[in-house]
Structures are given as structure tokens and as C-alpha cells.
Amino acid sequence: MTADPPAAVRAEPVKGLPSTLDGKEGQFLDKLGTNGVKGKLTANAPLAPLVWFKSGGAAELLFQPADVDDLASFMQQLDPAVPVMALGLGSNLIVRDGGVPGVVVRLGKAFAKIDRPDETTLRCGGGASGILVSSTARDAGIAGLEFLRGIPGTVGGFVRMNGGAYGREVRDILVSAKLVLRSGELVEWPLEKLGYTYRHSEVPEGAIVVEATFRGTPGKPEAIGAEMDAIARAREESQPLRSRTGGSTFKNPPGHKAWALIDAAGCRGLTIGDAQVSEKHCNFLLNLGSATSADIEALGEEVRRRVAEKSDITLEWEIQRVGTQ
């Protein structure tokens, strides 16, 4: 089943800023280099290899900081007009084909460290994956973090969006988070300041989550591991994990499941170009091989249109869409 959405269905623009580097990336890199930035800076860096959909354009500038101080220094030196966004595992993201203006920050291994301040608490770097955090909690006998096994992202991403799975979400376990603000200031926010709602937080635009502290309860590693295994099996059975996908595409409207609304609107298996609504779980979009990000986003908008027409419910994107068309 193939759809060609009308022009009115094309994706609406998302908030963003035009490029302010104006082709002067080299001069900018030279300036930063003389001011002691230690991390890796790459101009016109392809992002498609770094995101699950394997589509999209390049980052005007990709920065992989060496540590928190390096990131803070970089942000302080960067012109305030230049937009900044964080990139984790790229699992919940459409990078548009025109690329991302400004700076994309990717946290590497230096930000994936985890330590244990007390018996039921983990302090985790913003680059640590959900699998790593949940496995560390299991080995330490800390229960309550098992659901992170089902979130295909990093601490920075799921703290920002209040990620959740299998009946729990980040606000159930978060104690505090450390952020490098767009100004370069390092701050620590308690749970209450993050203003969590469903898949949303008050983390400011351009800020980078560099660390989070989670608290669970005492548990037995065997029981924790069994629950994690059950989550892994459930995901494998119900989701197209071995495909080029972005994860859950739309938020569940109050009182409804997005997948059920999509199915009722006849969208299971729907395609635009090489983009397809998964037949296994229709709240997942797939890149069957050569789909552009425009194909994927247009398919999502067509799904939204059909669901609204069928159920009078407007689906809200859960996947972040960034960059220019």
C-alpha cells in the first residue's frame, strides 16, 4: 500500500535557527583550537551513519568533547546565536536531508561512566546507554531501573524527554541531573526543577545533560536480571528491532494507544518511497533501504492525517525532527 501525501500534508517546520557560521567553519575551528578545546571538532560531518534511520544530512559542525570542562569551555566560546543540539544513540531522531545548522554535540566514552554513591543510587554520565545503566543496577542489586533496558538511548536523551517503558519513566527514579547550559554554565537541577510531564521536560534548548543520579530500591540481582530478560524478550517479539527505525514514532494520546489508532486508520504497511509503517508494530516507521528523511517524515504526516480523519485524534510526534528540508 503506497501513499502520495498532498502538499498540505507535508511536515510542518520545527523550531530552529539558520546557520550562523556562514561557511567560516575553518576559521571557527582555528579560533577554538587556539583557545584550548581538547575534543574532536568536525565540519560538515555526515549524521546518517550516527542515527538509526541511516538517513539525513550533515551537521554543520560536530563536536565530541573530551570531558565536561571541555564542553563547558566550548559552549562559553561559541557565539550565542549558533544553535546547539545533543546527539545520543540517534534512536529517536529524524535528521532532515538538508542537514543540521550550527553545532551537534555527541558525548563519547568519557561520558559513559557510572559510579555508585550509596547502596541504592547510581551516578551516570550522559553518554551511558539504558542497557549499561540497567545492567550496572542489576549487578549492584538495585531494583527499579529495569525498564531502562527497554529504552534504546542514552542518559542524556531519556533524561531530557522523560523517557519511559513498561509502565515506568525517568521521573520515577531520577534524583537530579547535571546540565551544561548554552552559556557554558554547569548546573545541577533536582527532579522538581525538570518539570517532567509525559515525554517532556523543562531542559532548556541548547543545554546538554552530562550526568544524572538515579535511585532505586534494594533487590536481588537474579530477580532484576529476570525482569530485564523479560523486557528484552517482549521488545524482540513486538518491535522491529533489527530494522532501520527510529523507535516509537508518536506519543500515546490520553486514553489511547498510538499503534491501535494507526492500525484502525488502515496505515499498517503503508509506504512512501522506501519508507514504511512497520507491519510488526505500526507505531514504528522503517527505512527499507533507500528512504530519505523527507520520505520518512512525509509518511509520518500522512499517518497523522489518516488517524485524524478516522478517529478525530491528532497524533503528536515523539520522534525528534531536526535540521532543514
Side-chain angles (χ1 to χ4, degrees):
M1 180 167 43
T2 303
D4 293 311
V9 177
R10 295 297 178 186
E12 73 275 15
V14 296
K15 188 188 301 182
L17 293 173
S19 169
T20 51
L21 295 179
D22 296 326
K24 299 178 181 177
E25 294 92 339
Q27 296 177 31
F28 181 69
L29 294 174
D30 289 342
K31 177 184 175 183
L32 285 172
T34 61
N35 289 338
V37 172
K38 297 179 292 183
K40 183 179 180 182
L41 288 155
T42 308
N44 196 32
L47 294 179
L50 305 180
V51 299
W52 281 25
F53 274 124
K54 303 303 178 191
S55 67
E60 191 171 13
L61 190 68
L62 177 66
F63 179 45
Q64 297 169 275
D67 52 35
V68 172
D69 289 342
D70 192 36
L71 175 60
S73 174
F74 174 86
M75 299 280 259
Q76 288 167 1
Q77 295 176 61
L78 187 64
D79 186 325
V82 177
V84 174
M85 65 159 276
L87 174 65
L89 296 183
S91 58
N92 201 239
L93 186 67
I94 293 174
V95 174
R96 290 175 170 144
D97 299 311
V100 179
V103 178
V104 173
V105 175
R106 190 167 191 242
L107 304 183
K109 291 182 179 179
F111 293 83
K113 298 174 183 176
I114 299 175
D115 60 42
R116 184 184 180 188
D118 61 46
E119 289 301 306
T120 58
T121 303
L122 293 181
R123 186 163 48 222
C124 308
S129 69
I131 292 176
L132 178 60
V133 175
S134 57
S135 298
T136 303
R138 175 200 61 207
D139 296 344
I142 301 174
L145 280 66
E146 296 90 345
F147 74 98
L148 296 177
R149 174 64 179 81
I151 300 180
T154 59
V155 166
F158 53 71
V159 166
R160 174 181 287 274
M161 70 174 291
N162 188 26
Y166 301 95
R168 304 206 76 197
E169 53 191 3
V170 167
R171 67 175 163 187
D172 297 327
I173 60 172
L174 187 79
V175 176
S176 65
K178 287 186 178 180
L179 294 72
V180 174
L181 302 179
R182 180 59 186 82
S183 64
E185 181 185 5
L186 176 64
V187 297
E188 184 168 8
W189 282 12
L191 169 64
E192 297 75 20
K193 190 167 183 177
L194 286 161
Y196 277 143
T197 55
Y198 176 61
R199 302 297 179 266
H200 174 78
S201 78
E202 295 299 324
V203 173
E205 185 173 353
I208 309 294
V209 177
V210 294
E211 184 182 284
T213 299
F214 302 117
R215 180 167 293 138
T217 58
K220 295 185 177 181
E222 297 80 7
I224 296 168
E227 184 171 347
M228 289 173 57
D229 290 344
I231 288 172
R233 285 195 301 272
R235 291 187 69 230
E236 184 72 35
E237 291 168 1
S238 65
Q239 300 175 11
L241 301 180
R242 303 184 188 281
S243 305
R244 295 181 176 184
T245 183
S248 183
T249 305
F250 301 107
K251 299 178 182 180
N252 290 322
H256 297 274
K257 294 291 187 182
W259 75 264
L261 295 170
I262 295 167
D263 204 14
C267 296
R268 187 182 293 269
L270 182 69
T271 62
I272 290 179
D274 231 10
Q276 183 189 54
V277 176
S278 171
E279 295 184 352
K280 188 173 187 179
H281 190 313
C282 49
N283 196 26
F284 283 64
L285 303 182
L286 308 179
N287 178 356
L288 298 180
S290 60
T292 64
S293 291
D295 291 335
I296 296 165
E297 190 170 5
L299 178 61
E301 289 297 326
E302 175 66 5
V303 167
R304 295 178 74 229
R305 183 189 71 80
R306 294 191 183 197
V307 168
E309 186 178 79
K310 173 71 175 179
S311 305
D312 199 28
I313 294 173
T314 300
L315 293 177
E316 184 179 348
W317 284 91
E318 181 172 325
I319 284 181
Q320 185 182 12
R321 297 155 297 140
V322 300
T324 58
Q325 303 283 6

